[in-house]
Amino acid sequence: MNRAFLYNASANIMTFVLMMLMSVCLTPYIVHTLGVEAFGLIHLTQNMINYLSVITASLSAVVVRFFSVAAHKGEIEKAQRYLSSYFVSSIFLSISLFLFCLFMSRQLVEWLHVPGDLAKDTQTAFILGGLLFMLNFVMSGIGAAPFYANKLYVSSIGQTIQMFLRALMIVMLFTWTAPAIWHIPLAALIGSLAAMGIGIYYFKKLIPWFSFKWRHVSLSSSLTLVRSGVWHSFEQMGILLFLQIDLLMTNLLIGAEATGQYAAILQFPLLLRTLAGTLAVVFAPTITKFYSNQDEEGLIQYAASAIKWSGLFVAFPAALLGGLAGPLMLLWLGPAFEELKWLLMIHAAYLCLTLMFLPLTYVPTAFNRLKVPAVVTLILGVSNVLFAYGLTHMLQLGLYGIASAGAIVLLIKNIVFLPFYTARITKQKRTIFYKHTIVPLAGALMIWGVCAGIQAIYDVTSWWELFCIGGFCFFLYLGYLYQFAGTKRERQQLVSKVKQAVSR
């Protein structure tokens, strides 16, 4: 592992830990302050705004790739055209989409199960959420700088500042004024503005050779991004149908209260997905660089290693979440939520299996082979909606039907399709990536089994006991990593680097 990877991975892990702490503390605070139904509407409105990414993905999903490949090849003028065209196109598209959000906010309360006393606040939250989405869309171009320079820890700095400000503003608004749903997206918007300032500063520092000039704005460059990104839009549509349709279907099929309960349950699975996503993106710049240098052998070896290390990082928190689901729900949200521990176990189990393959998603992007993944993802997304409706409405499985449908679809996509397709476009054996999943899965089973064994002989009733179990499992997992995660030579190199760091 080189220094850039260690910096990026460490920063992303620290950002995830802070995000987890914020979520653990804020979720019960918001639930008990606003109520379960209001909490569900907060996340439901944000999910509905995220559906607009079907439109924006045609630009934002590919601009970083095109810019980085051109810059790595020394085609500076071409790289500047891509980025300048993106900024202008994203601003005009954002204005149009925000006007659409204003119109949709009036229809929102008629379509969803929204209590009358929360209708106006829900509309305001939707509008503020739309502003936040548009800001993040425009600022996606800023992410090209740390991606190209392979300094993703810069983005982590912005995310950390954003999280702290968001949490601080929520507490201040809830304390100084009457708590309302729209305070949540307002706090997030303030945090994003601060992160934007940090992003612009580092953007200028990392790529000082870039300067926005109107002569660089090119319709042909924008069309190139759109033509390539259109398949990302189709893929994004599929992703939304099996990752962000849960709350909408819960609201429509079951009701507002169940939406709030499920939104609370989803906080930890969402954190796990965020962790896996932030780890996967750490590998993306190097994958893109291997492709730019036409080093396919190095790319394959690196991608296989990425699966193993991504799996090892994600396996521990996922197994810990599943193994301690019962006492965690009891202590975190109270006895009313303890019976939903099985939902948390379902999510933890399939995420252990699926999230380790996320680094492979950047290989088709590097090769610009996006059509097949987009079509498959869209088909699976539609299948998820049909499965969820059948299991929930027809078989009367309730929330468990929605969770099970998502699990089935994500298993098919990440475990079957993604490794097979990556092997195909890189001209490798279909099973080349699976052997790297054994060590992470064995580690996850070990931790889950230890947690279940402890609960079988001891009743966990306090946060202190929960933390002690987590600490014991953490050191046990560290020993497992040292013994099985790397080769003897890699272990010797690790010990040597640690000694050098201590001596310095």
Side-chain angles (χ1 to χ4, degrees):
M1 295 182 187
N2 56 33
R3 183 176 298 180
F5 174 85
L6 291 174
Y7 284 164
N8 293 336
S10 300
N12 282 353
I13 291 172
M14 290 176 64
T15 301
F16 166 76
V17 172
L18 289 173
M19 188 182 300
M20 182 181 67
L21 291 175
M22 294 288 182
S23 181
V24 168
C25 296
L26 284 177
T27 296
Y29 176 64
I30 296 172
V31 169
H32 294 144
T33 303
L34 294 177
V36 174
E37 293 180 342
F39 182 79
L41 289 171
I42 292 169
H43 290 274
L44 177 58
T45 53
Q46 188 57 55
N47 278 3
M48 294 184 70
I49 291 167
N50 288 341
Y51 298 159
L52 296 176
S53 61
V54 171
I55 300 173
T56 61
S58 60
L59 286 170
S60 60
V62 296
V63 62
V64 172
R65 181 265 179 195
F66 276 84
F67 172 83
S68 298
V69 170
H72 281 309
K73 290 182 177 181
E75 300 171 346
I76 302 302
E77 183 80 12
K78 189 176 182 180
Q80 288 183 323
R81 285 202 303 270
Y82 282 132
L83 204 51
S84 297
S85 301
Y86 172 81
F87 283 131
V88 173
S89 301
S90 63
I91 289 171
F92 280 106
L93 185 56
S94 292
I95 294 172
S96 302
L97 290 177
F98 181 68
L99 294 175
F100 176 73
C101 285
L102 287 176
F103 170 75
M104 289 297 296
S105 65
R106 299 180 179 180
Q107 314 298 322
L108 194 67
V109 295
E110 298 178 6
W111 296 346
L112 303 176
H113 291 114
V114 180
D117 58 324
L118 298 177
K120 187 171 292 186
D121 283 354
T122 302
Q123 290 175 324
T124 305
F126 187 81
I127 294 171
L128 289 172
L131 275 175
L132 176 63
F133 179 85
M134 303 315 158
L135 176 65
N136 290 335
F137 171 43
V138 174
M139 296 309 296
S140 293
I142 299 296
F147 188 95
Y148 161 73
N150 200 10
K151 294 184 177 181
L152 298 177
Y153 56 85
V154 168
S155 300
S156 297
I157 294 173
Q159 290 176 10
T160 302
I161 293 173
Q162 179 185 10
M163 285 188 295
F164 272 117
L165 275 179
R166 175 180 177 270
L168 179 62
M169 290 305 303
I170 289 174
V171 174
M172 290 172 62
L173 289 170
F174 278 19
T175 303
W176 294 347
T177 64
I181 291 176
W182 59 270
H183 287 168
I184 309 300
L186 176 62
L189 184 62
I190 294 171
S192 290
L193 287 171
M196 180 181 70
I198 298 295
I200 293 173
Y201 170 78
Y202 279 106
F203 180 85
K204 294 179 178 179
K205 189 173 181 179
L206 293 176
I207 48 174
W209 47 265
F210 176 84
S211 60
F212 178 85
K213 295 178 181 178
W214 281 104
R215 67 181 178 85
H216 289 147
V217 178
S218 164
L219 178 60
S220 62
S221 297
S222 297
L223 291 176
T224 299
L225 295 176
V226 171
R227 279 194 296 267
S228 179
V230 68
W231 294 114
H232 261 295
S233 292
F234 279 101
E235 184 176 24
Q236 186 66 17
M237 191 184 304
I239 290 173
L240 291 172
L241 287 174
F242 67 75
L243 289 185
Q244 296 199 25
I245 201 71
D246 294 10
L247 292 182
L248 179 59
M249 295 200 68
T250 302
N251 183 275
L252 295 176
L253 296 178
I254 305 176
E257 185 177 356
T259 305
Q261 292 176 334
Y262 199 48
I265 292 292
L266 284 178
Q267 294 308 295
F268 283 107
L270 287 174
L271 283 171
L272 282 176
R273 287 171 178 160
T274 302
L275 171 63
T278 54
L279 288 172
V281 78
V282 168
F283 299 99
T286 305
I287 289 174
T288 304
K289 193 170 184 179
F290 274 123
Y291 173 79
S292 301
N293 296 334
Q294 298 182 341
D295 184 2
E296 290 194 16
E297 183 178 352
L299 188 151
I300 291 298
Q301 294 176 353
Y302 188 78
S305 178
I307 292 174
K308 182 181 75 171
W309 289 106
S310 180
L312 287 169
F313 277 120
V314 174
F316 175 74
L320 203 64
L321 178 64
L324 297 175
L328 176 62
M329 295 306 299
L330 176 64
L331 296 171
W332 185 41
L333 294 174
F337 286 81
E338 186 182 9
E339 64 181 17
L340 299 177
K341 64 181 180 181
W342 302 108
L343 281 174
L344 207 53
M345 290 183 183
I346 291 173
H347 283 289
Y350 77 81
L351 291 177
C352 275
L353 296 168
T354 59
L355 292 181
M356 69 178 74
F357 289 98
L358 284 186
L360 293 184
T361 59
Y362 293 97
V363 177
T365 300
F367 279 74
N368 200 21
R369 299 280 293 274
L370 305 173
K371 181 178 180 179
V372 174
V375 173
V376 170
T377 303
L378 183 57
I379 292 172
L380 290 176
V382 174
S383 301
N384 176 57
V385 175
L386 297 176
F387 286 159
Y389 179 80
L391 294 174
T392 303
H393 185 70
M394 299 174 66
L395 298 184
Q396 300 295 314
L397 294 181
L399 293 176
Y400 294 96
I402 292 175
S404 300
I408 293 169
V409 171
L410 201 59
L411 285 168
I412 295 172
K413 181 181 184 294
N414 283 16
I415 292 186
V416 179
F417 167 74
L418 189 56
F420 279 13
Y421 184 70
T422 305
R424 179 184 175 185
I425 63 175
T426 55
K427 301 177 182 178
Q428 303 294 318
K429 293 181 179 179
R430 289 185 177 182
T431 57
I432 187 172
F433 297 112
Y434 289 109
K435 62 182 180 181
H436 300 280
T437 66
I438 297 174
V439 175
L441 289 178
L445 288 173
M446 178 189 71
I447 296 301
W448 198 313
V450 169
C451 291
I454 292 174
Q455 292 178 76
I457 59 176
Y458 186 79
D459 190 19
V460 182
T461 58
S462 70
W463 282 108
W464 170 247
E465 293 170 340
L466 200 67
F467 289 143
C468 286
I469 295 173
F472 171 73
C473 289
F474 176 72
F475 286 108
L476 183 65
Y477 194 68
L478 284 181
Y480 175 81
L481 290 180
Y482 181 78
Q483 189 65 34
F484 298 105
T487 63
K488 183 178 180 180
R489 181 181 177 183
E490 289 174 335
R491 290 196 292 270
Q492 290 173 346
Q493 290 176 344
L494 177 62
V495 172
S496 177
K497 289 181 179 179
V498 171
K499 288 181 178 178
Q500 290 176 4
V502 172
S503 64
R504 290 175 183 173

